[in-house]
Amino acid sequence: MRIGELSARTGVPAATIKYYVREGLLSGGERRGHNQVEYGEEHVRRLRLVRAMVEVGSVPIAKVREVLTEIEDPRRDLDSTLGVASRALSQHKVPAEEPAAVDVETAKAIVRGRGWNAVPLEHGYVWTLADAIGRLRELGLGDMVDMTGEYARAAEIVAEFDLALLQMRSDRDEILEAMVVGTVLGDAIFEALRRIAQVEVSSRVYPPAQRESVQDEEDSSTGE
Amino acid sequence: MRIGELSARTGVPAATIKYYVREGLLSGGERRGHNQVEYGEEHVRRLRLVRAMVEVGSVPIAKVREVLTEIEDPRRDLDSTLGVASRALSQHKVPAEEPAAVDVETAKAIVRGRGWNAVPLEHGYVWTLADAIGRLRELGLGDMVDMTGEYARAAEIVAEFDLALLQMRSDRDEILEAMVVGTVLGDAIFEALRRIAQVEVSSRVYPPAQRESVQDEEDSSTGE
């Protein structure tokens, strides 16, 4: 197909497609004579993958390229790619400073308390967890730390489904793509569901008279 | 305390504190004669709150100001503030275009299927959910939509704890602060726990020989 059709099928403007090709996010089409370039189904698919990262995950172009490079590197094994992509797509930074020992201990206790014995306790995300716990403590919100056990239970439900999805695929490229999409769209879906659930749960907590104003507020912002 | 002590206690450089005051994120200290400005405990607390948003949530300064303005507006009732702050702190954008009708139906079915009957189906996050579902479908990953029921179950666990935390407080300012912190740090904690759980679950799925390389990969990136 020509670039016009590729643009129509993916909703990505032709100028943006050319920009993605220049930036190395998309291979160029096949040249078929003067001023005629042919694109295929693989371009449609790749563009949708790039769009999911850029539009839904707000992933910067440089990060998108990094993730795609990882995906396409045939020397990498599947599970190390999982780690690299998951970190590249993370919305939250790994803390710059070492968290306080007391918070690292709490984080480790949460991980082991959940029966997660295969996870190395030096894992970068254990630090991220410890850092967030330390900030709660500093803000005098230490009681929020108690909730992380429930968060861990919910996280396990989500992770089991993340992995089940990968297992449903056998082709390497399919698995990697599902991983990236699952991380970006899975985060967006979970965030949306959490906010929706908050509205639901708060309707049980707050009296109906007050609830009206929340609904008005939410309604008026639809399509913001 | 002087600005030097405020800086030492919060880990925020004096120049950054002055910048936050200029940007309206922090009230100025009390002037006590020439070149002497006195800060109090409320400045320590506010700076930690701003830091949590900026450093952990990567919330832009303009958004931080927007959230703080909401929090401080005495005319707002609690639950409409909850909606406003939750949207301002959202990592994912509400979709610009109306999602396809078929995806909106799927999203509504997920919400009602979970027994969430108080949530208005015109809620902005139902659109966000529908948008993500549509992208999965376009990418031929429709089977991932089936997992959202499990995601919804996990989201409800998280939301119940989000609200339980608010109920533990009676002071309006405390509730609002807990809401902001709970959203930003709660997101960070959940994301970290999800990644940790993925490592745990993948250790059950992939054979130990392959697992070694994941651990090496993760270990070497600690403190990144």
Side-chain angles (χ1 to χ4, degrees):
Chain A
M1 74 196 85
R2 304 286 195 86
I3 195 165
E5 191 187 337
L6 180 62
S7 169
R9 283 200 41 204
T10 57
V12 180
T16 308
I17 294 175
K18 288 177 183 168
Y19 168 68
Y20 287 164
V21 170
R22 283 199 306 276
E23 289 292 317
L25 306 188
L26 187 74
S27 69
E30 201 180 325
R31 195 160 287 279
R32 293 259 173 90
H34 185 61
N35 259 348
Q36 198 178 327
V37 180
E38 192 70 12
Y39 295 89
E41 287 305 316
E42 71 278 15
H43 291 95
V44 173
R45 198 169 174 87
R46 172 53 62 95
L47 269 176
R48 287 184 177 145
L49 181 62
V50 170
R51 273 190 75 193
M53 286 195 263
V54 172
E55 294 179 15
V56 182
S58 303
V59 181
I61 296 294
K63 281 273 177 204
V64 173
R65 187 169 41 224
E66 192 185 316
V67 172
L68 294 175
T69 306
E70 283 302 326
I71 285 187
E72 281 161 355
D73 185 347
R75 290 164 307 174
R76 273 214 170 273
D77 58 27
L78 211 54
D79 26 353
S80 85
T81 311
L82 184 69
V84 172
S86 145
R87 264 194 306 282
L89 294 172
S90 173
Q91 303 268 9
H92 300 95
K93 292 167 239 159
V94 172
E97 291 165 41
E98 191 166 350
V102 58
D103 301 318
V104 174
E105 284 315 308
T106 305
K108 287 179 178 177
I110 290 164
V111 170
R112 288 295 184 254
R114 189 71 218 153
W116 294 345
N117 294 316
V119 179
L121 290 176
E122 296 71 34
H123 195 286
Y125 280 109
V126 177
W127 269 38
T128 306
L129 183 58
D131 180 69
I133 288 168
R135 288 171 195 266
L136 287 175
R137 191 176 41 75
E138 277 186 352
L139 283 159
L141 298 167
D143 55 349
M144 293 182 75
V145 174
D146 301 337
M147 83 187 170
T148 48
E150 287 302 302
Y151 267 42
R153 185 160 73 92
E156 193 169 331
I157 293 173
V158 170
E160 271 164 10
F161 272 74
D162 292 339
L163 271 290
L165 278 166
L166 300 188
Q167 283 184 282
M168 287 167 71
R169 296 174 163 75
S170 52
D171 176 66
R172 185 180 182 278
D173 290 343
E174 270 185 21
I175 294 176
L176 291 169
E177 195 181 280
M179 212 174 65
V180 171
V181 171
T183 301
V184 171
L185 292 178
D187 280 349
I189 288 171
F190 188 83
E191 190 181 296
L193 287 170
R194 180 184 172 193
R195 305 290 189 255
I196 294 169
Q198 283 176 344
V199 176
E200 177 70 27
V201 176
S202 88
S203 79
R204 297 177 206 155
V205 173
Y206 295 106
Q210 277 185 279
R211 218 170 76 223
E212 291 299 309
S213 66
V214 175
Q215 296 198 0
D216 292 344
E217 182 61 44
E218 301 295 350
D219 288 353
S220 68
S221 76
T222 304
E224 197 175 62
Chain B
M1 74 196 83
R2 303 285 195 87
I3 196 165
E5 192 187 337
L6 181 63
S7 169
R9 285 205 32 208
T10 58
V12 179
T16 308
I17 294 175
K18 288 176 183 169
Y19 168 68
Y20 287 163
V21 171
R22 281 198 308 277
E23 290 291 319
L25 306 188
L26 187 74
S27 68
E30 200 181 325
R31 195 160 288 276
R32 296 258 173 91
H34 186 63
N35 260 347
Q36 199 177 325
V37 180
E38 192 71 13
Y39 296 89
E41 286 306 316
E42 71 278 16
H43 291 94
V44 173
R45 197 166 174 90
R46 171 54 60 94
L47 270 176
R48 286 185 177 146
L49 181 61
V50 171
R51 274 189 74 193
M53 287 196 262
V54 172
E55 293 179 15
V56 182
S58 303
V59 181
I61 296 295
K63 281 272 177 206
V64 173
R65 186 168 41 221
E66 190 185 319
V67 172
L68 294 176
T69 306
E70 283 303 326
I71 285 188
E72 281 160 355
D73 185 349
R75 291 164 305 174
R76 272 214 170 273
D77 60 25
L78 210 56
D79 25 354
S80 85
T81 311
L82 182 70
V84 172
S86 144
R87 264 194 307 282
L89 295 171
S90 173
Q91 303 269 7
H92 300 97
K93 293 166 239 159
V94 172
E97 291 165 41
E98 191 168 350
V102 57
D103 300 319
V104 173
E105 285 314 308
T106 306
K108 288 179 178 177
I110 289 164
V111 170
R112 289 296 183 252
R114 189 68 219 158
W116 295 344
N117 295 316
V119 180
L121 290 176
E122 296 68 37
H123 195 286
Y125 280 109
V126 176
W127 270 38
T128 306
L129 182 58
D131 179 70
I133 288 169
R135 288 170 194 268
L136 286 176
R137 193 177 40 75
E138 277 186 354
L139 282 159
L141 298 166
D143 55 347
M144 293 182 76
V145 175
D146 302 337
M147 82 186 172
T148 48
E150 287 302 303
Y151 267 42
R153 185 159 72 92
E156 194 169 331
I157 294 173
V158 169
E160 271 163 9
F161 272 74
D162 291 339
L163 269 291
L165 278 165
L166 300 189
Q167 284 185 279
M168 287 168 70
R169 295 172 165 74
S170 53
D171 178 66
R172 185 180 181 278
D173 290 344
E174 268 184 23
I175 294 176
L176 291 168
E177 193 181 282
M179 214 174 63
V180 171
V181 171
T183 301
V184 171
L185 291 178
D187 280 349
I189 287 173
F190 188 83
E191 189 181 297
L193 286 169
R194 181 183 173 195
R195 306 288 189 257
I196 294 169
Q198 283 175 343
V199 175
E200 178 70 27
V201 176
S202 90
S203 78
R204 298 177 205 155
V205 173
Y206 296 105
Q210 277 184 277
R211 218 170 75 222
E212 290 298 311
S213 66
V214 175
Q215 297 199 357
D216 292 343
E217 181 61 43
E218 301 296 348
D219 287 354
S220 66
S221 75
T222 304
E224 197 176 64

